[in-house]
Amino acid sequence: MTASADFSIRRARTATHLMFLLCGLAVSSWAPMVPLAKQRTGLNEAGLGLILLSMGGGAIFSMPFVGPLMQITGSRIIILISSITAAIVLPFLTIVHTPVLLGCALFVFGAALGCLDVAMNAQAVVVQDRMTRPVMSAFHGMFSVGGLLGAMIFGVLLLTGLTPFLSAVVIAGGLLVIAVTQYKSFLDHAEKEESKTFVLKLPAGPVIMLGIFCMIAFLIEGALLDWSALFLRENRGFSVSMAGAGYSVFSVAMAMMRFMGDSLVHKYGPGKIVFWGATLASLGLIVAVFTPWQFSVLLGFLLIGIGAANVVPVLFSAAGKADKSAPELALAAVTTMGYAGQLAGPALIGFVAHSTSLPAALG
């Protein structure tokens, strides 16, 4: 490998790290906005759960088109457009006052994040293939760092006296800077004879199985994203500025474990990582929702983050190898199914919470 090629790969790796960070910032910034949106629109838990379908619905609507588009254009332009769109929409989530407008804004926001998620993971697979060693968990670790920083920065900005809208504008400005300065560093995808043809097709059996596993993993992440702040605020007595603490603790644990993930997968194998990780995440969720103390609730979120950390990176790496002829399509399929879990989970939790309670629904 020439010095120029090595520099290009390292630059692409850095840019991809930053895009995962951007996506995590955007997603987690929405988490502490949920209680504010509920209060502003006057929705109950069931109504809020229905509106939250819009975000996942936007992602699921857009994702199937990303794989075929990447076969034509690569991931660079899709990453740029989707990240700019998400940044522009984010502040509007703090000012819309009707359920319909909130649903529309969340649909566009979810569609942009869905496109970004597929495209940046495809770029991560390209970088990993060029580096010829596992790096996927570290990329997802940067997403978790963004998950920590987004909720924390939004809370800090509120504490300084900024309105929710201005706080979101500050975060959106940071997202735009990352997007505009980094997109030129991404690597081109491998050329294929059929790469210029837009084709939608059903994924193969192994890809569907990976998608089902990813759906389960995303379900718990979606539950924490959309309901943890409300749960801490209304059921465990946390203040508004601290309502994002649960998701932040979850993200810290995820980040720490994901930066260790590549070596753990190499040492223990992907099967054990997925099995024991899922088991520990389930235990953490039980602790979080069935113990009354604030400390134990946060401990539960910590265990969820540790357990769930490397499940999704393992699944995405496997998806990138499951169909060598069309890795973009395989990644799009697995990511779409994952978002289906993120869509269905929070919505069902909302309906069950309306009939019982939010802790029971999360449990």
Side-chain angles (χ1 to χ4, degrees):
M1 183 182 296
T2 66
S4 177
D6 182 60
F7 175 75
S8 296
I9 293 173
R10 286 188 284 109
R11 187 174 65 175
R13 183 186 182 188
T14 298
T16 307
H17 275 134
L18 289 173
M19 294 315 301
F20 273 82
L21 176 69
L22 181 153
C23 191
L25 283 168
V27 170
S28 67
S29 295
W30 162 240
M33 296 179 191
V34 174
L36 301 177
K38 178 177 181 290
Q39 180 181 13
R40 196 169 58 250
T41 57
L43 291 165
N44 58 26
E45 283 82 0
L48 182 60
L50 187 61
I51 292 298
L52 292 176
L53 285 169
S54 302
M55 185 172 174
I60 290 179
F61 174 81
S62 65
M63 281 176 164
F65 298 98
V66 180
L69 283 174
M70 282 194 296
Q71 291 190 308
I72 299 174
T73 67
S75 56
R76 180 184 289 112
I77 189 66
I78 297 174
I79 290 174
L80 176 64
I81 293 174
S82 58
S83 56
I84 289 176
T85 302
I88 292 174
V89 174
L90 183 64
F92 288 95
L93 298 176
T94 66
I95 60 175
V96 289
H97 283 78
T98 68
V100 173
L101 289 177
L102 178 61
C104 291
L106 284 174
F107 184 88
V108 177
F109 189 62
L113 291 178
C115 291
L116 176 60
D117 202 319
V118 176
M120 72 183 187
N121 274 286
Q123 180 64 206
V125 170
V126 173
V127 173
Q128 182 170 252
D129 288 344
R130 301 284 179 87
M131 296 188 71
T132 65
R133 61 187 177 89
V135 292
M136 184 65 79
S137 288
F139 286 134
H140 284 261
M142 290 300 291
F143 176 87
S144 297
V145 170
L148 161 68
L149 293 178
M152 184 172 65
I153 291 172
F154 188 82
V156 169
L157 291 174
L158 289 179
L159 287 175
T160 63
L162 290 181
T163 64
F165 176 74
L166 290 178
S167 300
V169 167
V170 171
I171 295 174
L175 303 184
L176 288 172
V177 170
I178 295 174
V180 172
T181 60
Q182 297 301 316
Y183 82 100
K184 291 183 178 180
S185 299
F186 298 126
L187 298 174
D188 294 326
H189 292 221
E191 290 287 338
K192 306 183 188 71
E193 291 183 4
E194 69 275 13
S195 62
K196 301 303 179 183
T197 303
F198 184 92
V199 178
L200 285 171
K201 65 178 185 179
L202 293 175
V207 176
I208 293 177
M209 184 61 69
L210 290 170
I212 292 173
F213 293 156
C214 201
M215 183 185 300
I216 297 169
F218 269 68
L219 189 150
I220 190 171
E221 292 193 37
L224 297 189
L225 170 64
D226 287 333
W227 291 107
S228 64
L230 191 64
F231 169 69
L232 294 183
R233 178 77 181 94
E234 296 191 355
N235 297 100
R236 293 297 181 267
F238 283 71
S239 65
V240 173
S241 61
M242 290 299 294
Y247 192 79
S248 296
V249 168
F250 166 77
S251 297
V252 169
M254 264 202 158
M256 293 176 63
M257 292 304 298
R258 281 177 169 173
F259 286 121
M260 300 168 58
D262 294 318
S263 60
L264 291 173
V265 171
H266 178 73
K267 182 175 182 180
Y268 296 107
K272 289 184 178 179
I273 293 297
V274 171
F275 177 80
W276 290 110
T279 301
L280 184 59
S282 299
L283 176 62
L285 188 58
I286 291 171
V287 172
V289 301
F290 292 120
T291 58
W293 310 286
Q294 292 187 350
F295 172 78
S296 63
V297 170
L298 295 180
L299 176 62
F301 281 111
L302 179 71
L303 294 176
I304 298 169
I306 293 173
N310 291 300
V311 174
V312 170
V314 167
L315 297 176
F316 278 22
S317 292
K321 300 174 183 177
D323 188 348
K324 289 293 186 181
S325 65
E328 299 92 351
L329 297 180
L331 273 168
V334 169
T335 309
T336 301
M337 294 180 72
Y339 268 74
Q342 194 169 27
L343 165 66
L348 289 174
I349 287 169
F351 288 114
V352 175
H354 183 63
S355 300
T356 57
S357 68
L358 183 54
L362 288 171

